[in-house]
Amino acid sequence: MFAFAATGKIGAVLDAWENKLEAVGFHRVFFIWMLFVGFLMCFLTPPFQVPDEPLQMARAYQIAEGFFISPLQSDGMQYKRIAEVPTGFINDRLRLDLFHREHDYSFDDIKYLFSQEIDHADLTIVDVANTGQYPPLSYLPQAAGIWIARLFECSAGGIFYLARMMSVVFGAFCIAFAVKLLPQKKFLITALASMPMFIAEIASSSADAVTYSLCFLIAAYIYRLGMDGSPLTGKQIIFLFLGAVSLGMLKQVYGVILFLFLVLPLAKFRSRRMFFCLFFSIVGVFLATSLAWIILSSGGHTNIELPVNTGADPVAQIQTVKGDVLLYLNVMFTNIAHGVFIEGWYYYSFVGILGWLTLWFPEKFYYAYAVVLFMGALFGKVQLNIWQRIVIVLAVFLSLAVIFLNQYLTWTPVGADYVDGVQGRYVIPISLMCLTAFSLNKKLPYENVLAAVVGMASAGMTIWYTYSYFY
C-alpha cells in the first residue's frame, strides 16, 4: 500500500509535506482547520437541525442566566424540570419548523434570525426533562457565548450562533490538545473528529459537543501517562482527579474512561498498594461527584419526570429484566449484532446521519470510512499487553451495557425483544479509548499527510451534503 513511501516524485512530495506538518505541529494545523470547518458548519446547519437542540439551547440559556440547576415544577403528580427562555426565542416565533427538511431552507432564514430582537423579560416556560438533568459543565462554552451575546444586546441570531461558535472553539481546543498529548494516534483522533456526526455536534449547542471533547482529552491524557516511564507526579495526580470530577459532571456512563488508569505501568507508583489506592480514590471521586449532582439536581425529590418514550414504563421494565436477566442479555447482544453487522444502523449513526437523523451519506462513504477507522485503530505506536487490552474492552462493554439498559428501560415497550432508541453516536465519547486498544505498535507512514487528507475529505463531504440537503 505504501510502496512509494520514499521513492519517485510522489514520495518526495509526500516527504516534504510530512516534514512541514511535523515542523509546524500537526495539532496547531488541526486547531485552525477545526475552527474553520466548525464555524462554517455553525452557519450552514439550519437552526435547531441537530437532535434536541431546542432543549439544549434552553438549558444553555438557563445556565447563562446563572441557574445551574433546573427548577422543578409540580403538576400535582410529579415534578418537571423546566427552563424559562425568552418567548421570542421559541421555534414558532422564529418561523422555524424542527422538521423542515430537504431544500426547505435559504440564507434568508439566517438573516431573519439575526433580525429578531429578544425581550429577555418576556419569558416562556419550557419542559427540559432530558436536558435539565445534565450538569452545567456540559453547557459552559455555549452558556459563555450566550452571556457574551446578552452583554452586547445581540439579537436572536447573535445569541444562537455565538453559542454554537463557542462550542466549536472549546471542541477544537480540546481535540487539538488531545492530538498533542497523544501524537501516536493523531490519525485516529483526526479520523474520529472529522466524522460528519462529530463535526455536526461540535458545531451545535448540544451537550454532546463538550462531552465528546472532554472525553477525548481525558482518554488521551491517561494514555499519554501510560507511555511516560517516569514516576507519577503530584501535578499529574491532580489532573487525574480533575478528570474524574469532569466525567462525573458530564454523562456519567462515560466514567468508564477512568478504567484506563489500570493500563498505567506499576513502575510509575511507589507500590502496588499506592496504585490501587489511587485508582479507587479516583473512581470514588467520580462516583461522589455524580451522586452529588443527582441529589442537588433532584432537590430531594424522587418523583421527577424522566424523558420516557411513549409506551415505555421504566418500573415495569425493571421487573421484566429482573424476572429473566438472561433473556434481556440475549436481547441486548442480538441488537448489537444486528445493529452493527446486519442492519448497520449503529455504525451509520456513529459516522454520521445528520439533521434529525434524516441526512444520510452515500453507502461508499460509510464503507470507505470503515477502512479509515480500521487503519486508525491498528496503526500508532501505543504498546499495550493483552491484559491491558482486555481491561479496556471490558470497560467499553460495561458502558455499552449501561447505555442499552437505559434505553431499554426508558425508550422501549415493556417486554419487547429489541432495544429502541440506541444510536451509534452514543459511543463516540469512548471510541478513542476503545479503538486505541487495538494498536499494533506500528507507525503509519505519512501519518500527518494522511490525517490531513482524511480530515479535509470528510469535512468536504459533510459541508457539501449539508448544503445540498437543506438548501
Side-chain angles (χ1 to χ4, degrees):
M1 182 184 296
F2 301 104
F4 55 80
T7 61
K9 293 182 179 180
I10 294 178
V13 171
L14 289 175
D15 286 336
W17 276 104
E18 182 73 11
N19 293 332
K20 286 180 181 179
L21 289 171
E22 192 67 33
V24 173
F26 185 81
H27 61 284
R28 295 187 180 94
V29 176
F30 179 89
F31 177 71
I32 296 172
W33 168 83
M34 192 69 171
L35 285 181
F36 173 76
V37 173
F39 287 160
L40 188 57
M41 282 294 291
C42 278
F43 290 94
L44 200 57
T45 304
F48 304 123
Q49 275 299 329
V50 175
D52 296 326
E53 192 172 27
L55 301 182
Q56 305 276 9
M57 184 64 72
R59 177 67 175 131
Y61 183 91
Q62 181 181 61
I63 293 169
E65 291 287 283
F67 295 97
F68 297 115
I69 298 176
S70 293
L72 298 173
Q73 185 181 70
S74 175
D75 62 3
M77 297 183 62
Q78 58 182 183
Y79 288 89
K80 296 182 178 181
R81 290 186 172 93
I82 62 170
E84 291 185 303
V85 298
T87 302
F89 208 52
I90 304 300
N91 303 337
D92 54 2
R93 298 299 182 93
L94 298 174
R95 302 190 312 196
L96 296 174
D97 178 358
L98 294 184
F99 295 95
H100 263 182
R101 293 179 180 172
E102 279 189 272
H103 314 306
D104 279 350
Y105 287 96
S106 72
F107 290 108
D108 288 337
D109 293 313
I110 297 177
K111 293 179 183 178
Y112 178 81
L113 196 62
F114 273 102
S115 71
Q116 297 307 294
E117 298 299 326
I118 295 295
D119 181 0
H120 295 278
D122 179 17
L123 302 176
T124 296
I125 293 177
V126 177
D127 187 343
V128 289
N130 56 345
T131 60
Q133 63 185 320
Y134 297 151
L137 177 61
S138 303
Y139 296 98
L140 281 187
Q142 303 92 319
I146 294 172
W147 184 84
I148 294 171
R150 284 212 55 190
L151 187 66
F152 289 95
E153 300 181 351
C154 293
S155 64
I159 294 173
F160 184 85
Y161 288 108
L162 197 52
R164 279 186 171 184
M165 292 172 70
M166 289 297 288
S167 176
V168 170
V169 172
F170 182 84
F173 175 80
C174 287
I175 304 303
F177 199 21
V179 171
K180 183 178 180 179
L181 288 171
L182 195 62
Q184 297 87 344
K185 302 300 291 186
K186 68 178 71 173
F187 181 82
L188 175 61
I189 296 173
T190 303
L192 290 170
S194 302
M195 295 189 304
M197 184 60 78
F198 199 106
I199 293 173
E201 292 287 346
I202 288 291
S204 76
S205 57
S206 172
D208 289 337
V210 175
T211 302
Y212 294 177
S213 304
L214 282 179
C215 285
F216 272 43
L217 180 58
I218 294 169
Y221 181 72
I222 301 177
Y223 271 122
R224 171 64 177 265
L225 290 181
M227 292 182 287
D228 179 6
S230 59
L232 206 62
T233 66
K235 185 177 180 180
Q236 291 170 338
I237 292 173
I238 291 173
F239 283 143
L240 286 171
F241 277 106
L242 287 176
V245 172
S246 298
L247 289 171
M249 291 294 285
L250 296 172
K251 296 179 180 180
Q252 290 82 10
V253 67
Y254 304 123
V256 297
I257 290 174
L258 294 176
F259 280 90
L260 283 176
F261 183 93
L262 296 176
V263 309
L264 299 183
L266 282 175
K268 295 183 69 68
F269 304 87
R270 289 195 299 269
S271 65
R272 185 180 296 269
R273 179 179 179 181
M274 178 186 175
F275 174 83
F276 284 106
C277 284
L278 192 53
F279 171 67
F280 287 115
S281 296
I282 290 171
V283 172
V285 167
F286 161 75
L287 293 174
T289 304
S290 302
L291 183 60
W293 171 252
I294 292 171
I295 294 173
L296 284 173
S297 63
S298 65
H301 301 288
T302 55
N303 56 333
I304 297 178
E305 179 189 43
L306 297 174
V308 176
N309 194 20
T310 304
D313 185 340
V315 176
Q317 195 77 295
I318 289 174
Q319 297 305 316
T320 301
V321 174
K322 289 171 64 177
D324 197 336
V325 175
L326 291 179
L327 178 61
Y328 165 71
L329 291 176
N330 179 63
V331 169
M332 183 183 73
F333 285 115
T334 300
N335 268 257
I336 292 175
H338 188 272
V340 174
F341 300 109
I342 301 176
E343 184 185 55
W345 165 256
Y346 296 148
Y347 170 68
Y348 294 141
S349 56
F350 172 78
V351 173
I353 305 173
L354 305 189
W356 286 76
L357 302 180
T358 55
L359 196 174
W360 290 68
F361 292 83
E363 286 283 328
K364 291 181 180 179
F365 174 77
Y366 293 110
Y367 296 151
Y369 225 88
V371 175
V372 168
L373 293 175
F374 182 74
M375 289 174 56
L378 294 184
F379 286 97
K381 294 187 72 64
V382 177
Q383 189 170 2
L384 298 169
N385 61 43
I386 185 64
W387 295 110
Q388 291 171 323
R389 298 176 196 270
I390 290 173
V391 166
I392 295 170
V393 171
L394 289 177
V396 169
F397 270 110
L398 174 61
S399 183
L400 286 175
V402 174
I403 290 171
F404 273 82
L405 180 60
N406 177 72
Q407 294 301 108
Y408 193 63
L409 297 180
T410 63
W411 219 250
T412 309
V414 177
D417 61 354
Y418 60 89
V419 182
D420 197 9
V422 178
Q423 299 174 33
R425 66 188 176 96
Y426 296 165
V427 300
I428 289 178
I430 55 174
S431 59
L432 175 60
M433 167 190 179
C434 175
L435 294 178
T436 299
F438 298 94
S439 295
L440 296 179
N441 198 27
K442 293 183 178 180
K443 182 179 172 62
L444 179 68
Y446 303 120
E447 59 182 348
N448 289 313
V449 173
L450 290 175
V453 169
V454 166
M456 289 188 291
S458 181
M461 286 284 289
T462 303
I463 291 166
W464 173 248
Y465 273 85
T466 299
Y467 174 77
S468 300
Y469 182 83
F470 286 115
Y471 296 90

